[in-house]
Amino acid sequence: MGTLCNSGRASPSRGLAARRALAVRGEGVTSAEEKPTDSGGGGFPTRRTGTGPPAAGPATSMDCDDTVTAEVCKEDDIGDGELWEVTVAGYPVLLVRNKKEFRALGSKCPHQGAPLSKGVLRGERLRCPWHGACFNTKTGDIEEYPSLDCLPCFKVKVEDGKVFVTAKKKELESSVRMKETSKRCHLNWDTMLLLGGGVAALLCAETLRQEGFTGRIIMATKEKHVPYDKSKLSKEMNLKAEDIYLRKPEFLAAHGIELWTEKEAASVDFQKQKVRFMDGSSQKYNRLLIATGSHSSSLKVPGADLQNVCILQTPEDSSKILELATGKNLVIVGASFVGMEIAAFLSDKAGTISVVEKKEFPFQHVLGPQVGGVTMKMLQNKGVKFYMKTELSELKGKDGKVTEAVLSSGEKLPAAVVVAGIGVFPNSAFLKGTSIARDDRGAILVDLHMQTNIPNVFAAGDVVSFPVALLNGDRSSIHHQQVAEAHGHIAALNMLKKEKELRTVPFFWTTMLGNSIRYAGCGQGYTDTVVKGNLEQQKFLIFYIRDGFVTAAASLNCDPMVSLIAEVLCSGKQISKEEAEACDINNMPLLAET
């Protein structure tokens, strides 16, 4: 498999924008939404990089058409497989050397601005250290999500042992490049109807245009908004809906993507290839994507219908909870990811916060007691109170508003606001009575082409159950943004009869109190763990083991370890429990090579 990670960054030296790349070891990364912390590092480096700056070179030159050329380093300064951040005309550029060939690209991940010089390189594939997005270093094209956009590429020339980068200034100003797309042709009335307004539907629509489809694309959603970043509803509750839009309405219009808001599907006639909506209208389709997502479960206890008992589903819900909870007594039912993120964000805003959970630790079924315990202590230090291994039995109120939460133990908690974070269920009730295959929970069954059992009908995102490679092909529903985006992309390719199978390693993150826990893989059914680092110091990497092999990993303050492990798993290599136990988070070459 070759070198997986040998990364670093360059800084100006005597007028040049480069120096010897530093190994990732000891240099952690903090995401843009996090508070700066000493996050440590790791990197599975296979060899050390050199030290000392290169010799100074000529000044940057600029042509009349705003094309800039700059010498960034000497040819011998950067080794094979190294990542450098250099500067051209004052703008950061990523310089990559792969098998003696130099390439220059945008230096920051378009998703949330992570420095790609700290990422993971395998062949021509570069993975972001924060959230796992992957890019082709030859083309800059996106190969794995959650980023929606590609990287700009710049011309590299080696002359007399010196490396020069040439770029247009306007391209240097942004680390974002959008793929070229086809235009809507009104003579082509083939209709792709996409039910849902989340990332799966959005990626499907964009991929259809990128792959040359010129027919009609309709996104029909019950939401009021264009697709937005739902992961921020609990992480950054003070943002307006417009602040988290993934694409603006003008973008969709310019690409010939029709967005029908507040348009909820009521039923589907698969024989007639027609969808009927709640408002009584209907629409025929040539191919259909069902990407209606999931819905937060409501409480089923006496008093659940009182005012100020909330679930978090939309930007309006997020704003409402923030307003109601500020300075008041908040009770969160369920120590889920959403529940813990709400507790973290409101820890310095609510009067009191109480968390009620059936299990012993937060998100125990996914990340286990070790990570759950660390999270619990972090929040307890901020004044959040936990009532674990108990359940909510009743809500009481006055004048129609909730005032008190009663636990199964009989204990009573003051509650001006109650938020339920007790799981989700697929939005597929409108398919009841049809011939489409669903599991016991209502999730739509799809294959690796995102194809359902109905011809010309595909499904993607939270609403589906699909074969997972890391579960030996067993089906599962995985509610991650990155997975939904991958689903939408693959669905579009197969709606165009490209015969492309899903191949992705699930990746997600949760952010609390300035710290991000990264997770890659699928640890469902794990029977053992291997912990590296120190849980108490909040710097650790955990391997989740099933049948003697690693199927997932989680980390805190150990970037880019989880991205590296995701890339190892994506390559098809298995990591044994013994390999995991033998590894040091500061030097792990065994997992970097085969």
Side-chain angles (χ1 to χ4, degrees):
M1 185 168 65
T3 302
L4 264 182
C5 182
N6 217 341
S7 59
R9 62 185 177 187
S11 61
S13 173
R14 288 184 291 164
L16 276 181
R19 66 177 174 83
R20 291 286 186 181
L22 298 173
V24 169
R25 184 176 65 87
E27 293 191 65
V29 185
T30 304
S31 70
E33 75 272 16
E34 298 165 13
K35 299 174 185 177
T37 57
D38 179 14
S39 54
F44 296 33
T46 56
R47 64 181 176 84
R48 291 284 185 266
T49 57
T51 58
T60 298
S61 65
M62 184 177 294
D63 299 335
C64 58
D65 63 348
D66 283 342
T67 297
V68 181
T69 297
E71 180 188 336
V72 295
C73 68
K74 305 298 184 185
E75 182 179 7
D76 294 337
D77 290 332
I78 178 170
D80 184 35
E82 290 183 4
L83 305 170
W84 276 25
E85 185 174 288
V86 301
T87 304
V88 177
Y91 296 98
V93 169
L94 181 70
L95 187 66
V96 181
R97 186 170 187 174
N98 191 354
K99 297 180 180 177
K100 297 187 178 180
E101 184 176 356
F102 287 90
R103 288 164 187 161
L105 309 97
S107 68
K108 297 187 183 300
C109 179
H111 177 231
Q112 288 188 15
L116 293 174
S117 60
K118 293 179 178 287
V120 175
L121 181 66
R122 179 170 65 90
E124 294 183 342
R125 181 176 164 105
L126 174 63
R127 187 179 283 266
C128 170
W130 289 357
H131 307 124
C134 294
F135 306 90
N136 185 295
T137 58
K138 187 174 183 179
T139 64
D141 286 351
I142 182 78
E143 292 190 349
E144 183 60 275
Y145 304 98
S147 176
L148 295 176
D149 296 310
C150 306
L151 296 173
C153 294
F154 311 115
K155 182 180 178 181
V156 183
K157 181 180 180 180
V158 180
E159 191 174 80
D160 298 329
K162 301 172 183 177
V163 180
F164 297 87
V165 173
T166 300
K168 291 185 178 180
K169 191 172 180 181
K170 65 179 181 180
E171 294 178 350
L172 289 168
E173 292 173 353
S174 172
S175 278
V176 175
R177 175 179 63 83
M178 295 184 183
K179 275 190 175 182
E180 292 185 4
T181 61
S182 58
K183 293 185 179 296
R184 168 82 167 95
C185 175
H186 292 280
L187 297 178
N188 182 354
W189 281 99
D190 279 356
T191 299
M192 303 290 196
L193 178 57
L194 319 179
L195 300 181
V199 291
L202 177 63
L203 261 294
C204 182
E206 291 195 21
T207 302
L208 288 170
R209 286 287 182 248
Q210 291 164 2
E211 294 295 321
F213 179 68
T214 61
R216 194 179 184 195
I217 301 175
I218 302 170
M219 288 176 59
T221 173
K222 66 180 181 180
E223 295 270 6
K224 299 177 181 179
H225 306 282
V226 297
Y228 56 84
D229 188 346
K230 290 195 173 184
S231 71
K232 291 187 176 180
L233 293 181
S234 52
K235 293 179 176 71
E236 299 177 74
M237 302 178 71
N238 56 338
L239 297 178
K240 298 177 182 177
E242 295 78 8
D243 296 332
I244 58 174
Y245 283 178
L246 295 171
R247 297 297 195 202
K248 294 181 179 179
E250 296 80 10
F251 176 93
L252 300 179
H255 289 78
I257 300 169
E258 298 177 46
L259 179 67
W260 295 356
T261 56
E262 299 182 85
K263 195 86 165 176
E264 185 175 359
S267 63
V268 183
D269 187 326
F270 292 117
Q271 277 196 327
K272 293 182 179 179
Q273 296 195 169
K274 181 187 289 188
V275 174
R276 185 175 63 82
F277 296 95
M278 289 291 192
D279 62 7
S281 64
S282 62
Q283 175 62 49
K284 296 202 73 172
Y285 62 84
N286 294 96
R287 282 174 287 286
L288 175 68
L289 176 77
I290 303 172
T292 45
S294 58
H295 196 83
S296 299
S297 300
S298 299
L299 295 172
K300 301 287 192 282
V301 298
D305 57 347
L306 288 166
Q307 292 180 47
N308 301 342
V309 177
C310 311
I311 58 172
L312 178 57
Q313 193 73 28
T314 67
E316 290 75 22
D317 294 336
S318 185
S319 298
K320 177 183 176 182
I321 292 168
L322 173 60
E323 181 181 356
L324 290 173
T326 299
K328 302 293 178 60
N329 297 316
L330 168 65
V331 172
I332 298 172
V333 183
S336 61
F337 290 104
V338 168
M340 294 300 90
E341 288 173 356
I342 292 173
F345 187 83
L346 296 177
S347 61
D348 61 348
K349 301 172 183 65
T352 64
I353 300 178
S354 303
V355 176
V356 180
E357 167 61 45
K358 291 188 295 184
K359 296 187 181 296
E360 188 174 358
F361 297 101
F363 31 75
Q364 184 172 333
H365 68 293
V366 177
L367 297 183
Q370 299 104 323
V371 180
V374 170
T375 303
M376 191 168 165
K377 183 171 290 186
M378 284 168 49
L379 290 170
Q380 284 173 328
N381 290 339
K382 289 293 184 178
V384 177
K385 295 182 179 180
F386 286 85
Y387 299 83
M388 310 303 279
K389 299 171 73 173
T390 188
E391 294 185 66
L392 179 72
S393 63
E394 183 182 3
L395 292 173
K396 293 184 176 180
K398 182 179 180 182
D399 299 327
K401 295 181 178 180
V402 67
T403 57
E404 190 175 67
V406 182
L407 307 185
S408 56
S409 63
E411 190 169 359
K412 298 177 180 179
L413 307 176
V417 191
V418 174
V419 179
I422 54 175
V424 297
F425 59 90
N427 285 328
S428 66
F430 68 100
L431 298 171
K432 189 175 181 179
T434 69
S435 56
I436 198 167
R438 298 187 295 159
D439 66 13
D440 293 341
R441 295 183 61 255
I444 301 169
L445 304 182
V446 295
D447 60 18
L448 290 174
H449 294 87
M450 311 317 294
Q451 170 80 56
T452 70
N453 63 313
I454 308 292
N456 298 318
V457 178
F458 299 78
D462 288 7
V463 77
V464 307
S465 179
F466 66 101
V468 180
L470 290 170
L471 296 177
N472 299 317
D474 290 346
R475 294 180 182 275
S476 183
S477 294
I478 298 179
H479 300 161
H480 305 337
Q481 177 180 333
Q482 168 263 336
V483 171
E485 291 181 51
H487 284 182
H489 174 70
I490 293 297
L493 295 176
N494 290 300
M495 291 166 83
L496 297 174
K497 304 187 185 304
K498 302 276 187 179
E499 297 298 318
K500 184 78 172 179
E501 287 192 349
L502 178 71
R503 184 174 177 267
T504 189
V505 173
F507 197 111
F508 81 91
W509 62 97
T510 182
T511 303
M512 290 167 288
L513 304 175
N515 293 292
S516 275
I517 297 172
R518 326 278 191 204
Y519 179 96
C522 187
Q524 185 175 314
Y526 76 90
T527 55
D528 200 1
T529 58
V530 173
V531 180
K532 313 301 296 186
N534 192 302
L535 293 168
E536 291 295 322
Q537 294 177 7
Q538 296 181 13
K539 180 183 175 182
F540 58 81
L541 172 68
I542 297 184
F543 295 94
Y544 298 88
I545 312 294
R546 187 177 63 247
D547 299 328
F549 292 94
V550 174
T551 60
S555 77
L556 177 61
N557 293 327
C558 280
D559 293 338
M561 299 309 303
V562 168
S563 284
L564 178 53
I565 292 164
E567 202 56 27
V568 174
L569 295 175
C570 185
S571 74
K573 182 183 184 297
Q574 287 189 312
I575 305 169
S576 69
K577 179 182 177 181
E578 291 74 22
E579 286 179 296
E581 289 174 332
C583 286
D584 179 342
I585 62 171
N586 293 320
N587 186 10
M588 304 170 78
L590 290 179
L591 297 186
E593 296 181 342
T594 58

